[in-house]
Amino acid sequence: MVEKLGLRERKKQRTRQALIEAAVRLFENKGYDHVTVAEIADAAEVSPRTFFLHFQAKEDVLLANADLRVDLALQTIAECRAEERLPELLVRAMDQMIANAWDSDLSSGLAALRTRLAASVPALQARLLQRYLTAQAELAQALQRAFPDRLDAITASALVGAMVGAVSASALTALQRGDGPAEVRNAMREAMALVARSVP
Amino acid sequence: MVEKLGLRERKKQRTRQALIEAAVRLFENKGYDHVTVAEIADAAEVSPRTFFLHFQAKEDVLLANADLRVDLALQTIAECRAEERLPELLVRAMDQMIANAWDSDLSSGLAALRTRLAASVPALQARLLQRYLTAQAELAQALQRAFPDRLDAITASALVGAMVGAVSASALTALQRGDGPAEVRNAMREAMALVARSVP
DNA sequence: CGAATTGATGCATACTATGCATCGATACAT
DNA sequence: ATGTATCGATGCATAGTATGCATCAATTCG
């Protein structure tokens, strides 16, 4: 699926990418707080004004491709077989998000940087949580749409909330006590299994 | 338990309260975004600089007494009987937080204002979520301390994360579709029951 | 009573974020 | 091909948040 983008769009993506790379490099060297938007723009050789044309806020440069992953999970839910058991579907959708995050952000080291910074930068942590919340709402809506006879809106959001809450909380504690990637992923799986048991 | 505070401390609390009340009044009249810190300070008849001496950020003025509730829940967990079933304890602790929030913020109308604004003001929403996260971590830690033989750190945080996630998600959807207080509280109870089933 | 503590204040400043007008390159229709 | 519309990038101006620092003044304590 090679996208056939016009020259204009390609240029736009190029400056966007330049901004991301400049930001990541600067964050790693000087620390998030000691990097200004002006510096990022300067390093990417664009106007400071242009930064905010691509990202709503300074934090968003580190959450660049998160939406794609959510879309992936939404698609998984929408395309499920009607007989599929509910918790298994959810587990599958979330597993896919995790796997995708692993692949796409591991190579660039973005995932590691993000988790490291999220632990120490309140503003970034807040933004991340906000994304989780909107993603949750979308997932719940999709789930309820997929099983309108088995789920009401409240139960759907409770279920998704429990799943996401459990996974992120366990992942966070695992990360904070210094676990490696494998252990973290294991913690997430355990959390999912725990919640999955609560639904018939 | 009447606190015997010095004059200095009493004055400090008075300006703090004045700031809160001024802020709430202004938010209700003009909307969160159209009220500046300078205005709040002015209405409370203090210097703008003083505002940031009492609150880390503009949002915090609306989360003034949240910590007290968390402490309450922590105490409940710490004082539990050793034989108590785990999910029931958690439900009890969270139920208490909810009840306390109802009582203490209902009279001032603060709770209503907060939920209304949190739905429409991203910055406030972010701050609220952040509080939830730290509260979760504290609850998980307390829970694990109370049952060191039955729970490891990962499972504890997963459990608490699931509980808090389910409750807040269902409460939010209930609020967003215009449910009244009673229905919201009912949604929260259902969510808790759902998660409680997943633990032996 | 004198000295230390501490809340409040004023001033200066860095930075984020947005609105608005404009320029110029790309895209498109005739 | 040429004129026109679109849209990304830019510069300028500005509002507003948040912090550091020095200082004042009231309370607290020795």
Side-chain angles (χ1 to χ4, degrees), chain B residues 6-8 11 36-37 49 52 56-58:
Chain B
L7 175 56
R8 182 178 270 169
K11 279 192 178 177
T36 71
V37 172
R49 190 71 185 79
F52 291 103
Q56 281 202 354
K58 183 181 165 187

Side-chain angles (χ1 to χ4, degrees), chain A residues 114-178:
Chain A
R114 196 190 316 135
T115 39
R116 197 166 356 118
L117 290 182
S120 62
V121 181
L124 185 56
Q125 188 182 86
R127 196 69 166 199
L128 244 177
L129 290 172
Q130 226 175 337
R131 290 267 171 130
Y132 277 7
L133 189 69
T134 61
Q136 264 187 50
E138 289 175 315
L139 286 175
Q141 204 182 341
L143 200 65
Q144 206 231 331
R145 221 189 290 280
F147 300 97
D149 48 338
R150 261 198 280 175
L151 281 176
D152 61 313
I154 297 291
T155 313
S157 43
L159 184 55
V160 174
M163 195 64 93
V164 174
V167 170
S168 23
S170 57
L172 191 62
T173 49
L175 279 166
Q176 279 176 344
R177 75 176 184 194

